[in-house]
């Protein structure tokens, strides 16, 4: 998997290189990351990448020209490396909202170009010319597409086999089963008189799995009832799950 990221702030992506699961995956060359700065593809001495909006109003708009040249430079680099070119994706609040279910779909590409907008907007002509689709990380505005792009990459990379120490830990993560995660405990057994649930100390693995499932159902019903509905629709709830929910009074 190769990510080509278009950003005015390439240094922000150094954050992915320092330590942790993603840093290790980069070291192991599980994925490749290149950043491209549109400022390097300007032609004027001031290296202009943004300008005022036609029609007025506050805020600047990223110019189509430098972005277009950057995409062309990426296409050329991919061609020279004999690397297939995947979609060009703009991170923006107008996009389809990123969810766990989209991760697998996105991982089917061997390459993607992530465009990080800054300022108020990106010139629509660049979007029409080059952007295949837009992705949002939620209904809020942030200062630029960089953190959304890193978030998306993190969610994808951690699901690549071998990235997490134990392949199962990704499987069991919250959302992989369409439900919220159950509570977790580690030593000490008694922490300031708050004790670990007994069932977890017993070593009965079937009982523990059953308890964890019930706790997931409780947490999901309490905090995200909408996820119970989707899990039901997607056939992720068993007969015993349904029975437990009924007993809970849903
Ligand atoms: C991008 C917000 C993706 C949510 C980019 C300002 C953004 C965003 N999801 N906001 N630039």
């Amino acid at each position: 998997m190769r990510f080509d990221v278009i950003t005015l702030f390439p240094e922000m992506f150094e954050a992915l290189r320092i330590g942790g699961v993603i840093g290790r995956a980069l070291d192991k060359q599980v994925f490749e990351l290149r950043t491209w700065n549109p400022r390097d593809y300007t032609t004027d001495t001031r290296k202009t990448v943004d300008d005022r909006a036609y029609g007025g109003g506050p805020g600047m708009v990223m110019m189509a020209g430098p972005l277009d040249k950057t995409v062309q430079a990426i296409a050329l680099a991919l061609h020279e490396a004999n690397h297939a070119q995947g979609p060009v994706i703009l991170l923006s609040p107008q996009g389809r909202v990123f969810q766990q279910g989209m991760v697998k779909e996105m991982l089917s590409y061997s390459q993607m170009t992530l465009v990080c907008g800054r300022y108020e907007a990106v010139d629509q002509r660049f979007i029409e010319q080059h952007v295949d689709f837009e992705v949002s990380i939620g209904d809020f505005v942030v200062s630029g597409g960089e953190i959304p792009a890193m978030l998306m990459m993190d969610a994808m990379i951690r699901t690549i086999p071998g990235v997490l120490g134990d392949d199962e830990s990704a499987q069991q993560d919250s959302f992989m089963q369409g439900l919220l995660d159950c509570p977790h405990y580690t030593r000490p057994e008694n922490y300031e008189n708050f004790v670990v649930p007994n069932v977890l100390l017993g070593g009965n693995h079937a009982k523990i799995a059953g308890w964890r499932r019930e706790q997931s159902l409780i947490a999901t019903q309490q905090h995200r009832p909408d996820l119970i509905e989707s899990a039901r629709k997607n056939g992720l709830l068993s007969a015993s799950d349904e029975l437990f929910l009924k007993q809970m009074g849903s």
Side-chain angles (χ1 to χ4, degrees):
M1 176 102 220
R2 170 171 166 165
F3 297 98
D4 290 278
V5 179
I6 302 181
T7 172
L8 292 171
F9 298 96
E11 325 77 53
M12 285 182 75
F13 290 83
E14 293 304 309
L16 290 176
R17 299 181 194 276
I18 10 182
V21 166
I22 306 305
R24 223 181 318 126
L26 243 182
D27 291 340
K28 286 199 283 184
Q29 300 182 333
V30 170
F31 72 101
E32 208 180 324
L33 172 62
R34 304 257 170 111
T35 54
W36 304 77
N37 192 338
R39 222 174 271 289
D40 297 334
Y41 298 91
T42 51
T43 43
D44 62 321
T45 50
R46 303 183 99 123
K47 299 184 185 290
T48 311
V49 291
D50 64 319
D51 208 336
R52 286 166 302 172
Y54 276 114
M60 303 291 273
V61 177
M62 281 181 85
M63 297 162 70
L67 288 171
D68 170 29
K69 290 205 184 93
T70 312
V71 168
Q72 286 186 39
I74 293 170
L76 182 65
L78 288 168
H79 180 76
E80 284 174 347
N82 232 334
H83 204 300
Q85 182 163 15
V88 175
I89 302 167
L90 175 68
L91 283 306
S92 101
Q94 282 79 42
R96 179 171 160 213
V97 179
F98 192 63
Q99 292 196 312
Q100 191 65 49
M102 284 160 72
V103 168
K104 217 181 185 163
E105 195 181 310
M106 298 274 194
L107 273 176
S108 64
Y109 305 116
S110 66
Q111 185 273 345
M112 64 178 71
T113 301
L114 300 173
V115 184
C116 305
R118 278 271 152 177
Y119 313 113
E120 294 299 304
V122 171
D123 192 303
Q124 186 63 24
R125 290 165 295 184
F126 168 75
I127 298 175
E128 282 166 18
Q129 188 181 19
H130 287 297
V131 172
D132 295 299
F133 57 92
E134 300 179 44
V135 170
S136 164
I137 58 159
D139 291 337
F140 41 81
V141 176
V142 290
S143 312
E146 283 79 6
I147 291 173
M150 285 191 258
L151 183 148
M152 224 181 113
M153 283 192 277
D154 185 307
M156 286 192 266
I157 292 158
R158 59 181 286 105
T159 68
I160 300 174
V163 167
L164 294 181
D166 176 0
D167 272 357
E168 297 226 308
S169 44
Q171 275 306 312
Q172 288 177 6
D173 268 354
S174 177
F175 286 119
M176 294 300 271
Q177 312 292 328
L179 298 176
L180 299 183
D181 208 359
C182 63
H184 300 275
Y185 301 88
T186 186
R187 290 191 295 176
E189 207 177 300
N190 180 327
Y191 174 69
E192 297 187 349
N193 279 335
F194 292 93
V195 297
V196 175
N198 237 322
V199 57
L200 299 177
L201 305 171
N204 181 336
H205 297 294
K207 230 173 140 184
I208 291 171
W211 179 85
R212 286 182 169 154
R213 184 73 183 179
E214 288 176 6
Q215 293 296 313
S216 280
L217 290 166
I218 292 169
T220 311
Q221 179 65 262
Q222 223 161 61
H223 302 287
R224 294 291 305 278
D226 58 305
L227 293 180
I228 295 278
E229 267 324 302
S230 341
R232 188 171 280 140
K233 251 188 249 142
N234 294 324
L236 294 170
L237 297 183
S238 68
S240 67
D241 289 336
E242 293 291 6
L243 190 64
F244 181 75
L245 287 168
K246 211 164 147 190
Q247 284 166 351
M248 273 179 70
S250 74

